[in-house]
C-alpha cells in the first residue's frame, strides 16, 4: 500500500513538472496585469526548440536555455503588441497559439521530423533535476513577490498601474520584464516536456497544458504556492485516471479520462470562488500625461 | 502603425496555418463548396493518347497529423502514391479533424466536386454512412471499418484483429508475470478489435495470461502514453504493446525507462526504442493504395472488404533491440507460422475457439 502511494506521488510529481514551469510563467505575467492566453503556443515552441538544440549540442540544459531564449523573445513580442499597440490580450493569445502550432508543425516537417533529443537532464533521488528547480522556483517566486521590491512593484502594476507610474516607476518596463520572464519559464516547461519527460517532438504534444496552467493560476488565486496546488490537483487527476483504468474494474475509461478536468473544475469552484483577479488584468494601460 | 502590426500578425498566422497543413496538397479545412457534379474518371484522352485523370479529385480525411510517422501518414502517402499513377489526378487532405466536423468536412469535399472521398479510420464510419447516401455518384471509402454500405461506400478493415492477435502472441511468449499491457488511443471499433485480438493471441499461447487495456484518449500526447505505461507497471505488467498513433512514442520510451519489454504495432516501432523487440506492421498504406486505385478505375466494390496478411497488409519485422534474442527459436517459429496461417487465409479467431 505504502509503495503504491509513493509510486503514485512520484509519478504525479514527475509528470506535473512541465505544467508547473508553464503555470509559473503564466503567473508572472498575470500578476503584472498581462493575460497570457498564448502560453500553449509559447510552450510548443519551447518543445521544438529544446529538442533541436539538445540534439545538435548534445546537452539538454543548453536545449532548455535555448527554449527559454526563444520563448522569452515570443513573450517580449507578446508584450510589445500588448503594451505598444494595445491589441486585445485574449485575441492575441489565441493568435499566438495558432502561430505556435503552425510554426512548429511547419518547421518540424521541413527540417526536424523524427529528430531524437539524444540526451536528457540528470536526476537526483529518482526525480529529474528540473523538478527540484521548479519547486525551488515556487519558493523563489513567493519570496520575490512578497518580500522583495521587484515583486511588490510587479503586483502593484497588476493592481493599479497609474499609481505605480505616478511614483516614477515605468509600468512598461516592469511588464516587459514579466513578459520575457514568463515566456522563458513557459518555454522551459515545453523543453522539459520534449527532452526531459520524452526525447522527441511530436505535433500538438502540449495537448492543452497551456490552458490548464491558466486554470492552475486562477485556482491558486495568483499566488505561487496556490498555483503549485492547482498543478498538483490536475496531476492527481491525471495520474489517477490511468491507475483507475489499469486497476481494472467496471470504471468506464471515458470517465477516467475526464477525471483530471472534472477535478480541476470542481477545485476551481470550491476554492477559487472568491479569487480576486489583479484589478488591471487584461486592461490596456495608457500612460497619462 | 497599429493596423500594420495587426495585419502582419494576421498574415503570419495564416501563413503558419497553411504551411502547417504540410504535405502535398495538404489542407486543414474542408474545401469551400464549389458545386460540380462527380464525373466518371478517365473519360478524357490526352493528346499523347494517355488517359487524362484530371477530373479525378481525391479528398482524404484524417483524425491525426499527416506526418505522425504512423497511422495518418500511411493514408496520406498511400493516396499520393495512388494518384501519382494516374496523370492529372489530385489529392487534398484535411488533418486532425475533430469529431464535430466529420460530416461538414465530408460534405465540403462532396460539394466541391471531389470524386473519391477517403475517410481514414473507423471513427468516420457513421458520418460516411450518412453523407454517402446524399451523394450517390461519389465513391466513399472508409478505412478500419467493420461494415460498408450499398451503393457507394466501401468499408475496409485492415485485419486489426489479426494485428492484435500476433501482438498478443509475441507478448504472451515473452512475459514472465503473465500480465500484458495494451495501450490504445480511443475506444473505437478498430482499437477494440485490436485489443480483442491481443487478448485472443495471449490466450492462445497461455490461457492464464491477463491483458490490461488502457486508453490515452489522445492520438498526439505521448506523455499520456507514458503515464499509462507507468500505471500498467504498477499492476505487475512486464510487457506492453500499443496502438495509439504518435502517442505510441511515449509508450516505447517509458518501457525503455522502466525496463519493460515492448511489442510494436502498425508501424516499425523497433526504431523508437531498445525495449521494442518486434513490430507487427499493419501496412494500411498498401491497402488504401489498392482501394484508391480501384476507386479510380471504377472497380471498387461497395460493402465490407477485409485486407490482411494475404493481401500483404499484415507483416512482421525482424527482431531488434536489447530483447532481440529473448524468444526461443521455437517461439519465433510459432509466431512466423501463425502469420503464415493468416496469409493462407486461416481466420486466427477460430484458433482460440
Amino acid at each position: 500500500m505504502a509503495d503504491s502511494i509513493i509510486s503514485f506521488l512520484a509519478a504525479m510529481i514527475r509528470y506535473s513538472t512541465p505544467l508547473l514551469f508553464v503555470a509559473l510563467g503564466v503567473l508572472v505575467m498575470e500578476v503584472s496585469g498581462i493575460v497570457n492566453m498564448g502560453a500553449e503556443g509559447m510552450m510548443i515552441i519551447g518543445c521544438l526548440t529544446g529538442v533541436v538544440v539538445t540534439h545538435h549540442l548534445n546537452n539538454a540544459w543548453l536545449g532548455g536555455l535555448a527554449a527559454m531564449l526563444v520563448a522569452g523573445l515570443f513573450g517580449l513580442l507578446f508584450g510589445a503588441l500588448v503594451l505598444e499597440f494595445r491589441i486585445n490580450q485574449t485575441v492575441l493569445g489565441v493568435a499566438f497559439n495558432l502561430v505556435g502550432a503552425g510554426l512548429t508543425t511547419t518547421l518540424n516537417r521541413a527540417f526536424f521530423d523524427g529528430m531524437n533529443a539524444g540526451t536528457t537532464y540528470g536526476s537526483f533521488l529518482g526525480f529529474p533535476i528540473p523538478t527540484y528547480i521548479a519547486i525551488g522556483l515556487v519558493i523563489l517566486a513567493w519570496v520575490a513577490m512578497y518580500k522583495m521590491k521587484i515583486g511588490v512593484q510587479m503586483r502593484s502594476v497588476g493592481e493599479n498601474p497609474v499609481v505605480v507610474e505616478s511614483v516614477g516607476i515605468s509600468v512598461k518596463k516592469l511588464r516587459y520584464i514579466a513578459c520575457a520572464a514568463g515566456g522563458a519559464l513557459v518555454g522551459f516547461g515545453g523543453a522539459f516536456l520534449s527532452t526531459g519527460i520524452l526525447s522527441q517532438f511530436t505535433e500538438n504534444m502540449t495537448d492543452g497544458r497551456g490552458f490548464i496552467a491558466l486554470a492552475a493560476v486562477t485556482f491558486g488565486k495568483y499566488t505561487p504556492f496556490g498555483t503549485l496546488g492547482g498543478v498538483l490537483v490536475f496531476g492527481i487527476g491525471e495520474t489517477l485516471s490511468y491507475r483507475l483504468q489499469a486497476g481494472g474494474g467496471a470504471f468506464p475509461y471515458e470517465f477516467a479520462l475526464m477525471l483530471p478536468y472534472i477535478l480541476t473544475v470542481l477545485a476551481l469552484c470550491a476554492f477559487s470562488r472568491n479569487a480576486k483577479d489583479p484589478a488591471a488584468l487584461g486592461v490596456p494601460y495608457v500612460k497619462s500625461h | 502603425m497599429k493596423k500594420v502590426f495587426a495585419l502582419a500578425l494576421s498574415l503570419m498566422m495564416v501563413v503558419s496555418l497553411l504551411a502547417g497543413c504540410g504535405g502535398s496538397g495538404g489542407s486543414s479545412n474542408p474545401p469551400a463548396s464549389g458545386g460540380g457534379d462527380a464525373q466518371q474518371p478517365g473519360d478524357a484522352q490526352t493528346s499523347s493518347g494517355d488517359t487524362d485523370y484530371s477530373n479525378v479529385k481525391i479528398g482524404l480525411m484524417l483524425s491525426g497529423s499527416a506526418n505522425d510517422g504512423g497511422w495518418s501518414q500511411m493514408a496520406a502517402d498511400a493516396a499520393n502514391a495512388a494518384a501519382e499513377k494516374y496523370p492529372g489526378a489530385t489529392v487534398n487532405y484535411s488533418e486532425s479533424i475533430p469529431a464535430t466536423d466529420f460530416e461538414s468536412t465530408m460534405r465540403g469535399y462532396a460539394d466541391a466536386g471531389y470524386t473519391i472521398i477517403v475517410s481514414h479510420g473507423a471513427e468516420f464510419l457513421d458520418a460516411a454512412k450518412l453523407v454517402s447516401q446524399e451523394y450517390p455518384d461519389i465513391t466513399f471509402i472508409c478505412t478500419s471499418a467493420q461494415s460498408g454500405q450499398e451503393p457507394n461506400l466501401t468499408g475496409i478493415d485492415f485485419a486489426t484483429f489479426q494485428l492484435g492477435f500476433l501482438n498478443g502472441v509475441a507478448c504472451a511468449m515473452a512475459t514472465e508475470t503473465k500480465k500484458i499491457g495494451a495501450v490504445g488511443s480511443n475506444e473505437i471499433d478498430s482499437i477494440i478489435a485490436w485489443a480483442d485480438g491481443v487478448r485472443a493471441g495471449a490466450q492462445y499461447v497461455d490461457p492464464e495470461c491477463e491483458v490490461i487495456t488502457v486508453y490515452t484518449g489522445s492520438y498526439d500526447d505521448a506523455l499520456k502514453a507514458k503515464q499509462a505505461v507507468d500505471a500498467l507497471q504498477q499492476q505487475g505488467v512486464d510487457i506492453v504493446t500499443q496502438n495509439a498513433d504518435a502517442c505510441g512514442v511515449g509508450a516505447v520510451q517509458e518501457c525503455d525507462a522502466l525496463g519493460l519489454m515492448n511489442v510494436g504495432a502498425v508501424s516499425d516501432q523497433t526504431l523508437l526504442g531498445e525495449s521494442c523487440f518486434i513490430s507487427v506492421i499493419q501496412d494500411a498504406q498498401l491497402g488504401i493504395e489498392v482501394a484508391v486505385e480501384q476507386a479510380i478505375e471504377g472497380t471498387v466494390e461497395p460493402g465490407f472488404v477485409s485486407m490482411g496478411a494475404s493481401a500483404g497488409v499484415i507483416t512482421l519485422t525482424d527482431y531488434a533491440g536489447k530483447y532481440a534474442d529473448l524468444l526461443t527459436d521455437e517461439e519465433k517459429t510459432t509466431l512466423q507460422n501463425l502469420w503464415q496461417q493468416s496469409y493462407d487465409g486461416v481466420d486466427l479467431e477460430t484458433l482460440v475457439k
Side-chain angles (χ1 to χ4, degrees):
Chain A
M1 183 65 182
D3 283 354
S4 297
I5 293 171
I6 289 169
S7 139
F8 181 91
L9 293 175
M12 179 196 70
I13 291 167
R14 188 182 307 118
Y15 297 130
S16 295
T17 303
L19 184 60
L20 183 53
F21 277 110
V22 177
L24 286 173
V26 171
L27 173 72
V28 170
M29 289 175 77
E30 301 234 331
V31 291
S32 78
I34 306 274
V35 178
N36 184 9
M37 286 280 284
E40 181 83 1
M42 293 177 192
M43 187 182 180
I44 193 99
I45 286 167
C47 288
L48 182 63
T49 309
V51 169
V52 172
V53 175
T54 301
H55 173 85
H56 284 103
L57 300 182
N58 199 30
N59 187 319
W61 291 103
L62 292 177
L65 204 64
M68 288 177 79
L69 193 68
V70 173
L73 285 173
F74 270 87
L76 275 179
L77 176 65
F78 191 94
L81 292 169
V82 164
L83 298 171
E84 307 297 339
F85 305 103
R86 295 193 288 279
I87 292 174
N88 182 295
Q89 296 175 19
T90 307
V91 175
L92 186 66
V94 173
F96 264 61
N97 291 337
L98 293 172
V99 168
L103 197 64
T104 51
T105 298
T106 307
L107 293 174
N108 181 50
R109 290 185 187 187
F111 306 110
F112 314 119
D113 204 7
M115 181 178 279
N116 196 294
T119 182
T120 188
Y121 303 88
S123 62
F124 178 67
L125 295 176
F127 290 102
I129 289 169
T131 300
Y132 298 101
I133 294 176
I135 294 166
L137 279 173
V138 173
I139 298 165
L140 185 68
W142 184 84
V143 171
M145 277 175 70
Y146 299 103
K147 303 291 177 191
M148 290 169 70
K149 197 172 146 190
I150 179 92
V152 175
Q153 287 177 350
M154 206 66 95
R155 284 192 294 137
S156 305
V157 163
E159 293 293 340
N160 196 333
V162 177
V163 170
V164 174
E165 193 84 52
S166 70
V167 293
I169 299 167
S170 169
V171 170
K172 274 189 183 174
K173 185 179 156 191
L174 281 170
R175 287 187 168 169
Y176 269 123
I177 291 171
C179 285
L185 282 170
V186 172
F188 189 81
F192 182 65
L193 174 66
S194 61
T195 61
I197 301 283
L198 296 155
S199 63
Q200 72 181 72
F201 176 85
T202 56
E203 290 169 18
N204 305 317
M205 67 189 298
T206 46
D207 202 33
R209 286 185 178 79
F211 297 107
I212 298 294
L214 276 168
V217 172
T218 310
F219 168 88
K221 299 182 181 177
Y222 303 92
T223 65
F225 284 103
T227 300
L228 172 65
V231 167
L232 292 181
V233 165
F234 184 76
I236 288 170
E238 219 177 16
T239 309
L240 201 57
S241 71
Y242 297 108
R243 303 279 160 140
L244 282 172
Q245 285 193 69
F251 203 82
Y253 96 101
E254 293 91 344
F255 287 102
L257 291 176
M258 271 186 229
L259 202 62
Y261 306 98
I262 291 173
L263 265 184
T264 305
V265 170
L266 289 179
L268 272 172
C269 295
F271 299 107
S272 305
R273 273 180 302 181
N274 302 321
K276 187 177 161 296
D277 293 348
L281 185 63
V283 180
Y285 174 67
V286 185
K287 189 175 178 180
S288 52
H289 296 281
Chain B
M1 190 63 181
K2 184 177 167 183
K3 284 182 180 170
V4 173
F5 264 86
L7 185 66
L9 192 70
S10 307
L11 279 173
M12 207 162 106
M13 268 172 55
V14 171
V15 169
S16 294
L17 279 174
L18 288 177
C21 300
S24 62
S27 160
S28 63
N29 297 309
S33 297
D37 295 331
Q39 299 166 26
Q40 286 303 310
D43 55 1
Q45 298 287 317
T46 61
S47 55
S48 62
D50 293 335
T51 309
D52 177 23
Y53 289 91
S54 56
N55 56 349
V56 173
K57 290 172 75 180
I58 304 161
L60 175 63
M61 296 173 55
L62 305 170
S63 55
S65 145
N67 81 329
D68 61 1
W71 181 243
S72 296
Q73 186 170 341
M74 278 182 182
D77 290 348
N80 283 324
E84 274 176 21
K85 294 179 188 167
Y86 296 87
T90 53
V91 180
N92 262 301
Y93 50 79
S94 301
E95 301 170 77
S96 303
I97 308 170
T100 47
D101 292 348
F102 286 174
E103 282 181 39
S104 58
T105 307
M106 214 171 270
R107 285 198 180 91
Y109 276 122
D111 290 337
Y114 280 73
T115 52
I116 300 164
I117 298 173
V118 182
S119 46
H120 189 44
E123 63 272 29
F124 292 103
L125 185 60
D126 288 342
K129 282 184 172 173
L130 192 73
V131 178
S132 63
Q133 288 178 328
E134 299 165 19
Y135 301 90
D137 295 332
I138 297 175
T139 302
F140 287 81
I141 295 171
C142 186
T143 68
S144 263
Q146 301 298 314
S147 64
Q149 185 173 274
E150 296 278 355
N152 60 336
L153 171 61
T154 306
I156 308 171
D157 171 44
F158 299 118
T160 38
F161 183 88
Q162 223 173 70
L163 168 75
F165 192 96
L166 295 171
N167 278 146
V169 168
C171 288
M173 290 192 299
T175 180
E176 288 179 6
T177 61
K178 298 191 177 186
K179 284 191 174 182
I180 298 165
V183 178
S185 50
N186 281 299
E187 200 176 30
I188 52 176
D189 285 354
S190 58
I191 302 292
I192 293 170
W194 171 78
D196 287 344
V198 174
R199 214 166 287 118
Q203 300 276 309
Y204 172 77
V205 174
D206 183 350
E208 288 181 14
C209 267
E210 182 190 357
V211 177
I212 304 173
T213 307
V214 174
Y215 296 100
T216 60
S218 167
Y219 298 98
D220 302 311
D221 190 348
L223 177 54
K224 286 189 162 73
K226 276 184 85 96
Q227 289 173 297
V229 171
D230 188 76
L232 285 166
Q233 191 209 25
Q234 291 305 310
Q235 297 299 319
V237 161
D238 64 349
I239 187 161
V240 173
T241 182
Q242 59 285 324
N243 188 351
D245 280 17
C247 256
V249 176
V252 179
Q253 288 187 0
E254 190 68 353
C255 284
D256 282 356
L258 298 177
L260 304 181
M261 298 171 284
N262 192 284
V263 174
V266 182
S267 58
D268 187 357
Q269 296 183 322
T270 60
L271 305 170
L272 297 178
E274 280 287 291
S275 58
C276 184
F277 63 86
I278 190 171
S279 255
V280 184
I281 304 282
Q282 186 188 37
D283 192 355
Q285 184 170 336
L286 178 69
I288 297 168
E289 205 174 315
V290 170
V292 171
E293 284 176 26
Q294 287 176 352
I296 293 173
E297 300 281 359
T299 58
V300 70
E301 293 290 333
F304 176 69
V305 176
S306 183
M307 294 182 179
S310 49
V313 170
I314 300 289
T315 53
L316 300 172
T317 63
D318 291 334
Y319 291 86
K322 66 177 175 182
Y323 300 115
D325 299 321
L326 184 79
L327 298 188
T328 63
D329 288 345
E330 191 185 346
E331 288 169 333
K332 287 178 179 176
T333 306
T334 303
L335 186 61
Q336 186 63 36
N337 285 344
L338 283 167
W339 175 84
Q340 186 64 47
Q341 286 186 54
S342 52
Y343 180 85
D344 294 337
V346 174
D347 181 359
L348 295 178
E349 203 168 358
T350 60
L351 300 180
V352 286
K353 284 182 177 170

